[in-house]
Every structure is written in structure tokens, then in C-alpha cells.
PDB file of all heavy atoms in Angstrom:
ATOM      1  N   GLN A  21       0.879  -1.163   0.000  1.00  0.00           N
ATOM      2  CA  GLN A  21       0.000   0.000   0.000  1.00  0.00           C
ATOM      3  C   GLN A  21       0.919   1.216   0.000  1.00  0.00           C
ATOM      4  O   GLN A  21       1.933   1.234   0.693  1.00  0.00           O
ATOM      5  CB  GLN A  21      -0.913   0.012   1.232  1.00  0.00           C
ATOM      6  CG  GLN A  21      -1.869  -1.152   1.293  1.00  0.00           C
ATOM      7  CD  GLN A  21      -2.960  -1.094   0.224  1.00  0.00           C
ATOM      8  OE1 GLN A  21      -3.364  -0.024  -0.228  1.00  0.00           O
ATOM      9  NE2 GLN A  21      -3.431  -2.264  -0.190  1.00  0.00           N
ATOM     10  N   ILE A  22       0.563   2.220  -0.781  1.00  0.00           N
ATOM     11  CA  ILE A  22       1.468   3.344  -1.011  1.00  0.00           C
ATOM     12  C   ILE A  22       0.805   4.649  -0.572  1.00  0.00           C
ATOM     13  O   ILE A  22      -0.350   4.916  -0.924  1.00  0.00           O
ATOM     14  CB  ILE A  22       1.858   3.416  -2.499  1.00  0.00           C
ATOM     15  CG1 ILE A  22       2.434   2.060  -2.949  1.00  0.00           C
ATOM     16  CG2 ILE A  22       2.847   4.553  -2.753  1.00  0.00           C
ATOM     17  CD1 ILE A  22       2.443   1.842  -4.432  1.00  0.00           C
ATOM     18  N   PHE A  23       1.575   5.431   0.181  1.00  0.00           N
ATOM     19  CA  PHE A  23       1.133   6.735   0.665  1.00  0.00           C
ATOM     20  C   PHE A  23       2.201   7.765   0.333  1.00  0.00           C
ATOM     21  O   PHE A  23       3.380   7.431   0.200  1.00  0.00           O
ATOM     22  CB  PHE A  23       0.959   6.717   2.193  1.00  0.00           C
ATOM     23  CG  PHE A  23      -0.217   5.922   2.685  1.00  0.00           C
ATOM     24  CD1 PHE A  23      -0.150   4.539   2.772  1.00  0.00           C
ATOM     25  CD2 PHE A  23      -1.385   6.556   3.072  1.00  0.00           C
ATOM     26  CE1 PHE A  23      -1.226   3.805   3.238  1.00  0.00           C
ATOM     27  CE2 PHE A  23      -2.465   5.832   3.542  1.00  0.00           C
ATOM     28  CZ  PHE A  23      -2.397   4.445   3.618  1.00  0.00           C
ATOM     29  N   ASN A  24       1.799   9.021   0.249  1.00  0.00           N
ATOM     30  CA  ASN A  24       2.742  10.138   0.238  1.00  0.00           C
ATOM     31  C   ASN A  24       2.423  10.905   1.513  1.00  0.00           C
ATOM     32  O   ASN A  24       1.391  11.569   1.595  1.00  0.00           O
ATOM     33  CB  ASN A  24       2.569  11.029  -0.989  1.00  0.00           C
ATOM     34  CG  ASN A  24       3.649  12.087  -1.054  1.00  0.00           C
ATOM     35  OD1 ASN A  24       4.154  12.539  -0.032  1.00  0.00           O
ATOM     36  ND2 ASN A  24       4.007  12.493  -2.264  1.00  0.00           N
ATOM     37  N   GLU A  25       3.302  10.764   2.507  1.00  0.00           N
ATOM     38  CA  GLU A  25       3.030  11.235   3.869  1.00  0.00           C
ATOM     39  C   GLU A  25       1.725  10.570   4.323  1.00  0.00           C
ATOM     40  O   GLU A  25       1.676   9.359   4.382  1.00  0.00           O
ATOM     41  CB  GLU A  25       2.965  12.760   3.936  1.00  0.00           C
ATOM     42  CG  GLU A  25       4.267  13.447   3.631  1.00  0.00           C
ATOM     43  CD  GLU A  25       5.372  13.230   4.662  1.00  0.00           C
ATOM     44  OE1 GLU A  25       5.077  12.856   5.808  1.00  0.00           O
ATOM     45  OE2 GLU A  25       6.541  13.434   4.303  1.00  0.00           O
ATOM     46  N   ASP A  26       0.684  11.371   4.590  1.00  0.00           N
ATOM     47  CA  ASP A  26      -0.586  10.809   5.059  1.00  0.00           C
ATOM     48  C   ASP A  26      -1.600  10.628   3.939  1.00  0.00           C
ATOM     49  O   ASP A  26      -2.711  10.161   4.185  1.00  0.00           O
ATOM     50  CB  ASP A  26      -1.196  11.720   6.134  1.00  0.00           C
ATOM     51  CG  ASP A  26      -0.347  11.765   7.391  1.00  0.00           C
ATOM     52  OD1 ASP A  26       0.509  10.871   7.574  1.00  0.00           O
ATOM     53  OD2 ASP A  26      -0.535  12.696   8.197  1.00  0.00           O
ATOM     54  N   ARG A  27      -1.253  11.009   2.717  1.00  0.00           N
ATOM     55  CA  ARG A  27      -2.188  10.916   1.588  1.00  0.00           C
ATOM     56  C   ARG A  27      -2.076   9.547   0.935  1.00  0.00           C
ATOM     57  O   ARG A  27      -1.002   9.126   0.513  1.00  0.00           O
ATOM     58  CB  ARG A  27      -1.883  12.004   0.556  1.00  0.00           C
ATOM     59  CG  ARG A  27      -2.888  12.013  -0.611  1.00  0.00           C
ATOM     60  CD  ARG A  27      -2.516  13.038  -1.661  1.00  0.00           C
ATOM     61  NE  ARG A  27      -1.325  12.670  -2.414  1.00  0.00           N
ATOM     62  CZ  ARG A  27      -1.293  11.799  -3.430  1.00  0.00           C
ATOM     63  NH1 ARG A  27      -2.394  11.181  -3.808  1.00  0.00           N
ATOM     64  NH2 ARG A  27      -0.173  11.546  -4.062  1.00  0.00           N
ATOM     65  N   TYR A  28      -3.216   8.859   0.860  1.00  0.00           N
ATOM     66  CA  TYR A  28      -3.239   7.539   0.234  1.00  0.00           C
ATOM     67  C   TYR A  28      -3.085   7.686  -1.274  1.00  0.00           C
ATOM     68  O   TYR A  28      -3.823   8.421  -1.930  1.00  0.00           O
ATOM     69  CB  TYR A  28      -4.567   6.837   0.562  1.00  0.00           C
ATOM     70  CG  TYR A  28      -4.671   5.443   0.003  1.00  0.00           C
ATOM     71  CD1 TYR A  28      -3.848   4.426   0.467  1.00  0.00           C
ATOM     72  CD2 TYR A  28      -5.602   5.139  -0.983  1.00  0.00           C
ATOM     73  CE1 TYR A  28      -3.945   3.136  -0.037  1.00  0.00           C
ATOM     74  CE2 TYR A  28      -5.710   3.852  -1.487  1.00  0.00           C
ATOM     75  CZ  TYR A  28      -4.881   2.859  -1.012  1.00  0.00           C
ATOM     76  OH  TYR A  28      -4.980   1.588  -1.507  1.00  0.00           O
ATOM     77  N   CYS A  29      -2.099   6.976  -1.832  1.00  0.00           N
ATOM     78  CA  CYS A  29      -1.882   6.971  -3.279  1.00  0.00           C
ATOM     79  C   CYS A  29      -2.616   5.795  -3.919  1.00  0.00           C
ATOM     80  O   CYS A  29      -3.288   5.954  -4.934  1.00  0.00           O
ATOM     81  CB  CYS A  29      -0.396   6.882  -3.598  1.00  0.00           C
ATOM     82  SG  CYS A  29       0.568   8.277  -2.991  1.00  0.00           S
ATOM     83  N   GLY A  30      -2.443   4.596  -3.336  1.00  0.00           N
ATOM     84  CA  GLY A  30      -3.116   3.422  -3.886  1.00  0.00           C
ATOM     85  C   GLY A  30      -2.390   2.143  -3.538  1.00  0.00           C
ATOM     86  O   GLY A  30      -1.432   2.122  -2.769  1.00  0.00           O
ATOM     87  N   ASP A  31      -2.866   1.074  -4.155  1.00  0.00           N
ATOM     88  CA  ASP A  31      -2.289  -0.250  -3.940  1.00  0.00           C
ATOM     89  C   ASP A  31      -1.445  -0.637  -5.159  1.00  0.00           C
ATOM     90  O   ASP A  31      -1.170   0.192  -6.030  1.00  0.00           O
ATOM     91  CB  ASP A  31      -3.379  -1.280  -3.664  1.00  0.00           C
ATOM     92  CG  ASP A  31      -4.397  -1.404  -4.799  1.00  0.00           C
ATOM     93  OD1 ASP A  31      -4.166  -0.862  -5.910  1.00  0.00           O
ATOM     94  OD2 ASP A  31      -5.428  -2.052  -4.582  1.00  0.00           O
ATOM     95  N   TYR A  32      -1.051  -1.904  -5.206  1.00  0.00           N
ATOM     96  CA  TYR A  32      -0.182  -2.327  -6.311  1.00  0.00           C
ATOM     97  C   TYR A  32      -0.874  -2.168  -7.661  1.00  0.00           C
ATOM     98  O   TYR A  32      -0.254  -1.727  -8.638  1.00  0.00           O
ATOM     99  CB  TYR A  32       0.269  -3.781  -6.143  1.00  0.00           C
ATOM    100  CG  TYR A  32       1.103  -4.194  -7.338  1.00  0.00           C
ATOM    101  CD1 TYR A  32       2.418  -3.747  -7.464  1.00  0.00           C
ATOM    102  CD2 TYR A  32       0.566  -4.954  -8.374  1.00  0.00           C
ATOM    103  CE1 TYR A  32       3.174  -4.056  -8.581  1.00  0.00           C
ATOM    104  CE2 TYR A  32       1.321  -5.267  -9.493  1.00  0.00           C
ATOM    105  CZ  TYR A  32       2.617  -4.813  -9.587  1.00  0.00           C
ATOM    106  OH  TYR A  32       3.363  -5.115 -10.701  1.00  0.00           O
ATOM    107  N   GLU A  33      -2.138  -2.498  -7.745  1.00  0.00           N
ATOM    108  CA  GLU A  33      -2.854  -2.389  -9.016  1.00  0.00           C
ATOM    109  C   GLU A  33      -2.860  -0.943  -9.521  1.00  0.00           C
ATOM    110  O   GLU A  33      -2.633  -0.684 -10.700  1.00  0.00           O
ATOM    111  CB  GLU A  33      -4.291  -2.905  -8.855  1.00  0.00           C
ATOM    112  CG  GLU A  33      -5.028  -3.029 -10.160  1.00  0.00           C
ATOM    113  CD  GLU A  33      -6.378  -3.703  -9.993  1.00  0.00           C
ATOM    114  OE1 GLU A  33      -6.462  -4.722  -9.295  1.00  0.00           O
ATOM    115  OE2 GLU A  33      -7.341  -3.183 -10.580  1.00  0.00           O
ATOM    116  N   ASP A  34      -3.084   0.002  -8.608  1.00  0.00           N
ATOM    117  CA  ASP A  34      -3.054   1.419  -8.987  1.00  0.00           C
ATOM    118  C   ASP A  34      -1.654   1.816  -9.461  1.00  0.00           C
ATOM    119  O   ASP A  34      -1.504   2.536 -10.443  1.00  0.00           O
ATOM    120  CB  ASP A  34      -3.445   2.300  -7.793  1.00  0.00           C
ATOM    121  CG  ASP A  34      -4.844   2.023  -7.296  1.00  0.00           C
ATOM    122  OD1 ASP A  34      -5.743   1.789  -8.127  1.00  0.00           O
ATOM    123  OD2 ASP A  34      -5.037   2.035  -6.063  1.00  0.00           O
ATOM    124  N   PHE A  35      -0.633   1.357  -8.726  1.00  0.00           N
ATOM    125  CA  PHE A  35       0.749   1.638  -9.103  1.00  0.00           C
ATOM    126  C   PHE A  35       1.048   1.075 -10.491  1.00  0.00           C
ATOM    127  O   PHE A  35       1.614   1.756 -11.345  1.00  0.00           O
ATOM    128  CB  PHE A  35       1.704   1.029  -8.065  1.00  0.00           C
ATOM    129  CG  PHE A  35       3.137   1.016  -8.512  1.00  0.00           C
ATOM    130  CD1 PHE A  35       3.910   2.168  -8.450  1.00  0.00           C
ATOM    131  CD2 PHE A  35       3.710  -0.143  -9.002  1.00  0.00           C
ATOM    132  CE1 PHE A  35       5.229   2.151  -8.882  1.00  0.00           C
ATOM    133  CE2 PHE A  35       5.029  -0.168  -9.429  1.00  0.00           C
ATOM    134  CZ  PHE A  35       5.788   0.997  -9.370  1.00  0.00           C
ATOM    135  N   PHE A  36       0.645  -0.169 -10.727  1.00  0.00           N
ATOM    136  CA  PHE A  36       0.893  -0.822 -12.007  1.00  0.00           C
ATOM    137  C   PHE A  36       0.260  -0.026 -13.154  1.00  0.00           C
ATOM    138  O   PHE A  36       0.902   0.224 -14.176  1.00  0.00           O
ATOM    139  CB  PHE A  36       0.352  -2.255 -11.985  1.00  0.00           C
ATOM    140  CG  PHE A  36       0.536  -2.974 -13.288  1.00  0.00           C
ATOM    141  CD1 PHE A  36       1.761  -3.547 -13.606  1.00  0.00           C
ATOM    142  CD2 PHE A  36      -0.500  -3.063 -14.204  1.00  0.00           C
ATOM    143  CE1 PHE A  36       1.940  -4.208 -14.823  1.00  0.00           C
ATOM    144  CE2 PHE A  36      -0.331  -3.722 -15.413  1.00  0.00           C
ATOM    145  CZ  PHE A  36       0.888  -4.289 -15.727  1.00  0.00           C
ATOM    146  N   HIS A  37      -1.003   0.394 -12.975  1.00  0.00           N
ATOM    147  CA  HIS A  37      -1.675   1.164 -14.028  1.00  0.00           C
ATOM    148  C   HIS A  37      -0.980   2.503 -14.266  1.00  0.00           C
ATOM    149  O   HIS A  37      -0.840   2.934 -15.423  1.00  0.00           O
ATOM    150  CB  HIS A  37      -3.151   1.370 -13.707  1.00  0.00           C
ATOM    151  CG  HIS A  37      -3.962   0.116 -13.799  1.00  0.00           C
ATOM    152  ND1 HIS A  37      -4.058  -0.637 -14.946  1.00  0.00           N
ATOM    153  CD2 HIS A  37      -4.693  -0.541 -12.869  1.00  0.00           C
ATOM    154  CE1 HIS A  37      -4.815  -1.703 -14.734  1.00  0.00           C
ATOM    155  NE2 HIS A  37      -5.206  -1.668 -13.468  1.00  0.00           N
ATOM    156  N   SER A  38      -0.520   3.144 -13.194  1.00  0.00           N
ATOM    157  CA  SER A  38       0.164   4.425 -13.372  1.00  0.00           C
ATOM    158  C   SER A  38       1.500   4.220 -14.094  1.00  0.00           C
ATOM    159  O   SER A  38       1.917   5.059 -14.897  1.00  0.00           O
ATOM    160  CB  SER A  38       0.367   5.142 -12.034  1.00  0.00           C
ATOM    161  OG  SER A  38       1.336   4.501 -11.242  1.00  0.00           O
ATOM    162  N   LYS A  39       2.157   3.100 -13.816  1.00  0.00           N
ATOM    163  CA  LYS A  39       3.421   2.797 -14.503  1.00  0.00           C
ATOM    164  C   LYS A  39       3.161   2.548 -15.992  1.00  0.00           C
ATOM    165  O   LYS A  39       3.889   3.062 -16.843  1.00  0.00           O
ATOM    166  CB  LYS A  39       4.066   1.561 -13.850  1.00  0.00           C
ATOM    167  CG  LYS A  39       5.529   1.420 -14.137  1.00  0.00           C
ATOM    168  CD  LYS A  39       6.197   0.428 -13.214  1.00  0.00           C
ATOM    169  CE  LYS A  39       6.007  -0.977 -13.684  1.00  0.00           C
ATOM    170  NZ  LYS A  39       6.886  -1.949 -13.026  1.00  0.00           N
ATOM    171  N   GLU A  40       2.122   1.805 -16.298  1.00  0.00           N
ATOM    172  CA  GLU A  40       1.768   1.526 -17.696  1.00  0.00           C
ATOM    173  C   GLU A  40       1.408   2.793 -18.456  1.00  0.00           C
ATOM    174  O   GLU A  40       1.667   2.905 -19.650  1.00  0.00           O
ATOM    175  CB  GLU A  40       0.584   0.542 -17.757  1.00  0.00           C
ATOM    176  CG  GLU A  40       0.927  -0.852 -17.304  1.00  0.00           C
ATOM    177  CD  GLU A  40       1.862  -1.563 -18.271  1.00  0.00           C
ATOM    178  OE1 GLU A  40       1.556  -1.625 -19.468  1.00  0.00           O
ATOM    179  OE2 GLU A  40       2.918  -2.044 -17.810  1.00  0.00           O
ATOM    180  N   ASN A  41       0.800   3.752 -17.746  1.00  0.00           N
ATOM    181  CA  ASN A  41       0.367   5.010 -18.374  1.00  0.00           C
ATOM    182  C   ASN A  41       1.407   6.124 -18.242  1.00  0.00           C
ATOM    183  O   ASN A  41       1.127   7.263 -18.601  1.00  0.00           O
ATOM    184  CB  ASN A  41      -0.959   5.475 -17.767  1.00  0.00           C
ATOM    185  CG  ASN A  41      -2.084   4.527 -18.086  1.00  0.00           C
ATOM    186  OD1 ASN A  41      -2.192   4.021 -19.203  1.00  0.00           O
ATOM    187  ND2 ASN A  41      -2.932   4.258 -17.107  1.00  0.00           N
ATOM    188  N   ASN A  42       2.579   5.776 -17.698  1.00  0.00           N
ATOM    189  CA  ASN A  42       3.656   6.736 -17.512  1.00  0.00           C
ATOM    190  C   ASN A  42       3.219   7.941 -16.666  1.00  0.00           C
ATOM    191  O   ASN A  42       3.538   9.083 -16.971  1.00  0.00           O
ATOM    192  CB  ASN A  42       4.211   7.193 -18.864  1.00  0.00           C
ATOM    193  CG  ASN A  42       5.618   7.738 -18.740  1.00  0.00           C
ATOM    194  OD1 ASN A  42       6.359   7.382 -17.828  1.00  0.00           O
ATOM    195  ND2 ASN A  42       5.985   8.624 -19.652  1.00  0.00           N
ATOM    196  N   THR A  43       2.452   7.658 -15.600  1.00  0.00           N
ATOM    197  CA  THR A  43       1.958   8.716 -14.712  1.00  0.00           C
ATOM    198  C   THR A  43       2.324   8.445 -13.255  1.00  0.00           C
ATOM    199  O   THR A  43       1.648   8.906 -12.345  1.00  0.00           O
ATOM    200  CB  THR A  43       0.425   8.862 -14.836  1.00  0.00           C
ATOM    201  OG1 THR A  43      -0.184   7.599 -14.511  1.00  0.00           O
ATOM    202  CG2 THR A  43       0.000   9.296 -16.228  1.00  0.00           C
ATOM    203  N   VAL A  44       3.409   7.706 -13.028  1.00  0.00           N
ATOM    204  CA  VAL A  44       3.774   7.312 -11.657  1.00  0.00           C
ATOM    205  C   VAL A  44       4.044   8.515 -10.769  1.00  0.00           C
ATOM    206  O   VAL A  44       3.636   8.537  -9.614  1.00  0.00           O
ATOM    207  CB  VAL A  44       4.983   6.355 -11.647  1.00  0.00           C
ATOM    208  CG1 VAL A  44       5.425   6.054 -10.224  1.00  0.00           C
ATOM    209  CG2 VAL A  44       4.648   5.063 -12.364  1.00  0.00           C
ATOM    210  N   PHE A  45       4.720   9.535 -11.300  1.00  0.00           N
ATOM    211  CA  PHE A  45       5.056  10.680 -10.453  1.00  0.00           C
ATOM    212  C   PHE A  45       3.798  11.408  -9.997  1.00  0.00           C
ATOM    213  O   PHE A  45       3.705  11.818  -8.840  1.00  0.00           O
ATOM    214  CB  PHE A  45       6.066  11.589 -11.145  1.00  0.00           C
ATOM    215  CG  PHE A  45       7.382  10.886 -11.325  1.00  0.00           C
ATOM    216  CD1 PHE A  45       7.688  10.228 -12.504  1.00  0.00           C
ATOM    217  CD2 PHE A  45       8.284  10.814 -10.282  1.00  0.00           C
ATOM    218  CE1 PHE A  45       8.882   9.537 -12.653  1.00  0.00           C
ATOM    219  CE2 PHE A  45       9.479  10.123 -10.407  1.00  0.00           C
ATOM    220  CZ  PHE A  45       9.778   9.481 -11.595  1.00  0.00           C
ATOM    221  N   ALA A  46       2.823  11.550 -10.871  1.00  0.00           N
ATOM    222  CA  ALA A  46       1.541  12.147 -10.476  1.00  0.00           C
ATOM    223  C   ALA A  46       0.831  11.241  -9.476  1.00  0.00           C
ATOM    224  O   ALA A  46       0.281  11.716  -8.474  1.00  0.00           O
ATOM    225  CB  ALA A  46       0.663  12.385 -11.700  1.00  0.00           C
ATOM    226  N   PHE A  47       0.837   9.937  -9.709  1.00  0.00           N
ATOM    227  CA  PHE A  47       0.236   8.960  -8.790  1.00  0.00           C
ATOM    228  C   PHE A  47       0.833   9.093  -7.392  1.00  0.00           C
ATOM    229  O   PHE A  47       0.118   9.053  -6.391  1.00  0.00           O
ATOM    230  CB  PHE A  47       0.453   7.546  -9.349  1.00  0.00           C
ATOM    231  CG  PHE A  47       0.215   6.440  -8.371  1.00  0.00           C
ATOM    232  CD1 PHE A  47      -1.073   6.080  -7.998  1.00  0.00           C
ATOM    233  CD2 PHE A  47       1.274   5.738  -7.821  1.00  0.00           C
ATOM    234  CE1 PHE A  47      -1.288   5.049  -7.092  1.00  0.00           C
ATOM    235  CE2 PHE A  47       1.064   4.710  -6.914  1.00  0.00           C
ATOM    236  CZ  PHE A  47      -0.226   4.360  -6.553  1.00  0.00           C
ATOM    237  N   LEU A  48       2.151   9.276  -7.327  1.00  0.00           N
ATOM    238  CA  LEU A  48       2.833   9.396  -6.038  1.00  0.00           C
ATOM    239  C   LEU A  48       2.722  10.791  -5.432  1.00  0.00           C
ATOM    240  O   LEU A  48       3.162  11.008  -4.303  1.00  0.00           O
ATOM    241  CB  LEU A  48       4.316   9.036  -6.195  1.00  0.00           C
ATOM    242  CG  LEU A  48       4.616   7.592  -6.585  1.00  0.00           C
ATOM    243  CD1 LEU A  48       6.103   7.429  -6.886  1.00  0.00           C
ATOM    244  CD2 LEU A  48       4.172   6.631  -5.491  1.00  0.00           C
ATOM    245  N   GLY A  49       2.144  11.730  -6.166  1.00  0.00           N
ATOM    246  CA  GLY A  49       2.032  13.098  -5.674  1.00  0.00           C
ATOM    247  C   GLY A  49       3.338  13.859  -5.753  1.00  0.00           C
ATOM    248  O   GLY A  49       3.572  14.789  -4.991  1.00  0.00           O
ATOM    249  N   LEU A  50       4.195  13.473  -6.709  1.00  0.00           N
ATOM    250  CA  LEU A  50       5.489  14.125  -6.899  1.00  0.00           C
ATOM    251  C   LEU A  50       5.446  14.984  -8.152  1.00  0.00           C
ATOM    252  O   LEU A  50       4.739  14.662  -9.107  1.00  0.00           O
ATOM    253  CB  LEU A  50       6.593  13.072  -7.032  1.00  0.00           C
ATOM    254  CG  LEU A  50       6.734  12.099  -5.861  1.00  0.00           C
ATOM    255  CD1 LEU A  50       7.754  11.023  -6.193  1.00  0.00           C
ATOM    256  CD2 LEU A  50       7.102  12.837  -4.588  1.00  0.00           C
ATOM    257  N   LYS A  51       6.230  16.046  -8.153  1.00  0.00           N
ATOM    258  CA  LYS A  51       6.228  16.960  -9.297  1.00  0.00           C
ATOM    259  C   LYS A  51       6.840  16.331 -10.538  1.00  0.00           C
ATOM    260  O   LYS A  51       6.301  16.411 -11.603  1.00  0.00           O
ATOM    261  CB  LYS A  51       6.936  18.253  -8.935  1.00  0.00           C
ATOM    262  CG  LYS A  51       6.218  19.018  -7.843  1.00  0.00           C
ATOM    263  CD  LYS A  51       6.617  20.467  -7.840  1.00  0.00           C
ATOM    264  CE  LYS A  51       6.013  21.247  -6.688  1.00  0.00           C
ATOM    265  NZ  LYS A  51       4.602  21.246  -6.594  1.00  0.00           N
ATOM    266  N   SER A  52       8.002  15.713 -10.385  1.00  0.00           N
ATOM    267  CA  SER A  52       8.662  15.100 -11.539  1.00  0.00           C
ATOM    268  C   SER A  52       9.772  14.189 -11.052  1.00  0.00           C
ATOM    269  O   SER A  52      10.089  14.143  -9.862  1.00  0.00           O
ATOM    270  CB  SER A  52       9.241  16.170 -12.467  1.00  0.00           C
ATOM    271  OG  SER A  52      10.248  16.895 -11.790  1.00  0.00           O
ATOM    272  N   LYS A  53      10.371  13.497 -11.999  1.00  0.00           N
ATOM    273  CA  LYS A  53      11.487  12.613 -11.677  1.00  0.00           C
ATOM    274  C   LYS A  53      12.652  13.436 -11.145  1.00  0.00           C
ATOM    275  O   LYS A  53      13.008  14.453 -11.731  1.00  0.00           O
ATOM    276  CB  LYS A  53      11.908  11.854 -12.947  1.00  0.00           C
ATOM    277  CG  LYS A  53      13.002  10.854 -12.721  1.00  0.00           C
ATOM    278  CD  LYS A  53      13.281  10.083 -13.988  1.00  0.00           C
ATOM    279  CE  LYS A  53      14.380   9.073 -13.760  1.00  0.00           C
ATOM    280  NZ  LYS A  53      14.596   8.236 -14.918  1.00  0.00           N
ATOM    281  N   PRO A  54      13.245  13.013 -10.011  1.00  0.00           N
ATOM    282  CA  PRO A  54      14.383  13.774  -9.488  1.00  0.00           C
ATOM    283  C   PRO A  54      15.566  13.704 -10.445  1.00  0.00           C
ATOM    284  O   PRO A  54      15.797  12.689 -11.089  1.00  0.00           O
ATOM    285  CB  PRO A  54      14.713  13.073  -8.162  1.00  0.00           C
ATOM    286  CG  PRO A  54      14.061  11.741  -8.236  1.00  0.00           C
ATOM    287  CD  PRO A  54      12.941  11.840  -9.227  1.00  0.00           C
ATOM    288  N   SER A  55      16.281  14.808 -10.535  1.00  0.00           N
ATOM    289  CA  SER A  55      17.462  14.809 -11.398  1.00  0.00           C
ATOM    290  C   SER A  55      18.609  14.143 -10.670  1.00  0.00           C
ATOM    291  O   SER A  55      18.607  14.022  -9.446  1.00  0.00           O
ATOM    292  CB  SER A  55      17.843  16.240 -11.790  1.00  0.00           C
ATOM    293  OG  SER A  55      18.336  16.931 -10.653  1.00  0.00           O
ATOM    294  N   ILE A  56      19.618  13.713 -11.419  1.00  0.00           N
ATOM    295  CA  ILE A  56      20.784  13.066 -10.812  1.00  0.00           C
ATOM    296  C   ILE A  56      21.459  14.030  -9.846  1.00  0.00           C
ATOM    297  O   ILE A  56      21.871  13.656  -8.765  1.00  0.00           O
ATOM    298  CB  ILE A  56      21.746  12.577 -11.908  1.00  0.00           C
ATOM    299  CG1 ILE A  56      21.085  11.445 -12.692  1.00  0.00           C
ATOM    300  CG2 ILE A  56      23.072  12.130 -11.318  1.00  0.00           C
ATOM    301  CD1 ILE A  56      21.859  10.971 -13.894  1.00  0.00           C
ATOM    302  N   LYS A  57      21.511  15.306 -10.206  1.00  0.00           N
ATOM    303  CA  LYS A  57      22.141  16.298  -9.343  1.00  0.00           C
ATOM    304  C   LYS A  57      21.406  16.389  -8.005  1.00  0.00           C
ATOM    305  O   LYS A  57      22.020  16.469  -6.965  1.00  0.00           O
ATOM    306  CB  LYS A  57      22.140  17.656 -10.043  1.00  0.00           C
ATOM    307  CG  LYS A  57      22.926  18.704  -9.309  1.00  0.00           C
ATOM    308  CD  LYS A  57      22.978  19.981 -10.110  1.00  0.00           C
ATOM    309  CE  LYS A  57      23.870  20.993  -9.441  1.00  0.00           C
ATOM    310  NZ  LYS A  57      23.983  22.224 -10.192  1.00  0.00           N
TER     311      LYS A  57
END
């Protein structure tokens, strides 16, 4: 089960669908992929 702090993001099925749709960062409540720097 995945949360961002106290906000529920979803379960594995939700994560899988977000990965397939290339929307994982939005699913996780993150702005974008962190840069290497």
C-alpha cells in the first residue's frame, strides 16, 4: 500500500496502471522525476 506522507496513493494495481500510463510521479504526488544532481 502506497502513501505520500498521510495521503493515500493506492495499492499495487493502482501503481501498475500508473506505470503503464507513464503517470507514476503524479500517482505518487510528486512533481517530476528527481534529477541526478
Side-chain angles (χ1 to χ4, degrees):
Q21 297 291 331
I22 306 161
F23 289 79
N24 186 329
E25 295 293 340
D26 294 343
R27 184 184 70 80
Y28 182 67
C29 298
D31 59 12
Y32 177 75
E33 189 173 315
D34 299 321
F35 168 79
F36 178 81
H37 290 302
S38 71
K39 199 165 82 166
E40 291 291 307
N41 294 319
N42 202 26
T43 58
V44 175
F45 294 95
F47 165 75
L48 295 172
L50 302 174
K51 296 200 185 302
S52 64
K53 183 176 180 175
S55 69
I56 293 174
K57 187 175 185 178

